[in-house]
Amino acid sequence: QKEVEQDPGPLSVPEGAIVSLNCTYSNSAFQYFMWYRQYSRKGPELLMYTYSSGNKEDGRFTAQVDKSSKYISLFIRDSQPSDSATYLCAMKDTNAGKSTFGDGTTLTVKP
Amino acid sequence: DGGITQSPKYLFRKEGQNVTLSCEQNLNHDAMYWYRQDPGQGLRLIYYSQIVNDFQKGDIAEGYSVSREKKESFPLTVTSAQKNPTAFYLCASSPTAIYGYTFGSGTRLTVV
């Protein structure tokens, strides 16, 4: 079983919808949680970085971490066609020195 | 502008050849990483380095080699021992091990 499981998608929503992207994990040592956005044929870019449990908001994006349930989410409000991309969750523990990634969820926002 | 530069963007390799992918960063980051991405799959770690002259194997290191002689540079060699090298290769860096990554734009390697 993989350490990080991500909702596979693909996901297709109309413009303006609220999008929820989710990952679960099994390693309780994970302390740092990240979301990356990857456009087709490009390198991923870091969207959100959070430490431990709680919420973090940045514009239309909200990252949520629930360590007790080993569950993280990324919410996108007022989704736009430019949000169409693959979203990757990633996690680290303090000692590992490296991130473990989910397989990604591909999102399409239709005008 | 600071960032990570990967070259070449596209690379074609004949069976039995070794090829080297370049990764250079001017972000003054200590840690550097190589990942492989196959269609519809997530990122799998090949090698990583947290300081100069030191590196560790990732989950799929067989058939690959790296060096870290300078802080700015972390080249990846895909050897003939790698049985299925066709993939998208991504280099990344971070200030320290706990922070998120800055990625390069990737190298797409195809075996012909």
Side-chain angles (χ1 to χ4, degrees):
Chain A
Q1 187 179 358
K2 292 182 179 180
E3 276 191 301
V4 178
E5 299 277 1
Q6 185 166 358
D7 287 353
L11 201 55
S12 181
V13 301
E15 183 174 355
I18 296 174
V19 176
S20 171
L21 304 165
N22 308 295
C23 289
T24 57
Y25 62 94
S26 56
N27 186 348
S28 57
F30 286 144
Q31 297 281 351
Y32 306 94
F33 303 91
M34 290 138 285
W35 286 95
Y36 292 85
R37 177 175 62 196
Q38 185 177 24
Y39 292 114
S40 183
R41 299 181 178 271
K42 302 288 187 184
E45 58 179 319
L46 181 64
L47 267 183
M48 302 289 279
Y49 173 86
T50 54
Y51 170 69
S52 198
S53 285
N55 291 358
K56 182 176 181 179
E57 189 173 315
D58 184 2
R60 296 184 295 110
F61 298 90
T62 299
Q64 194 171 80
V65 175
D66 181 351
K67 289 190 69 182
S68 63
S69 302
K70 297 189 178 68
Y71 190 89
I72 71 169
S73 298
L74 178 70
F75 297 97
I76 307 175
R77 292 184 300 280
D78 187 26
S79 56
Q80 302 295 310
S82 58
D83 295 327
S84 298
T86 296
Y87 291 81
L88 298 156
C89 64
M91 310 176 187
K92 288 187 185 189
D93 68 57
T94 306
N95 299 317
K98 57 184 173 70
S99 292
T100 302
F101 284 80
D103 286 345
T105 301
T106 298
L107 169 68
T108 301
V109 180
K110 296 184 176 180
Chain B
D1 283 338
I4 295 185
T5 301
Q6 287 188 245
S7 61
K9 196 172 180 66
Y10 299 96
L11 187 57
F12 297 91
R13 191 194 92 167
K14 292 183 180 179
E15 295 279 355
Q17 273 186 339
N18 292 354
V19 292
T20 297
L21 283 59
S22 172
C23 178
E24 303 277 334
Q25 55 102 353
N26 61 4
L27 299 165
N28 200 33
H29 286 176
D30 285 321
M32 296 188 75
Y33 308 82
W34 275 105
Y35 283 88
R36 168 180 173 147
Q37 188 174 36
D38 293 283
Q41 295 191 30
L43 277 61
R44 293 186 290 167
L45 182 64
I46 304 172
Y47 269 97
Y48 65 107
S49 168
Q50 297 192 56
I51 55 172
V52 175
N53 292 321
D54 188 49
F55 49 83
Q56 287 78 40
K57 292 182 179 180
D59 302 316
I60 57 165
E62 185 174 350
Y64 300 97
S65 66
V66 294
S67 63
R68 186 87 188 275
E69 297 176 1
K70 298 186 301 181
K71 188 175 185 178
E72 302 81 18
S73 179
F74 193 41
L76 174 74
T77 297
V78 184
T79 75
S80 57
Q82 172 47 238
K83 298 304 179 190
N84 184 21
T86 295
F88 189 46
Y89 290 86
L90 288 160
C91 180
S93 70
S94 64
T96 68
I98 66 170
Y99 288 104
Y101 296 162
T102 300
F103 279 92
S105 55
T107 292
R108 195 165 297 276
L109 173 63
T110 303
V111 174
V112 296

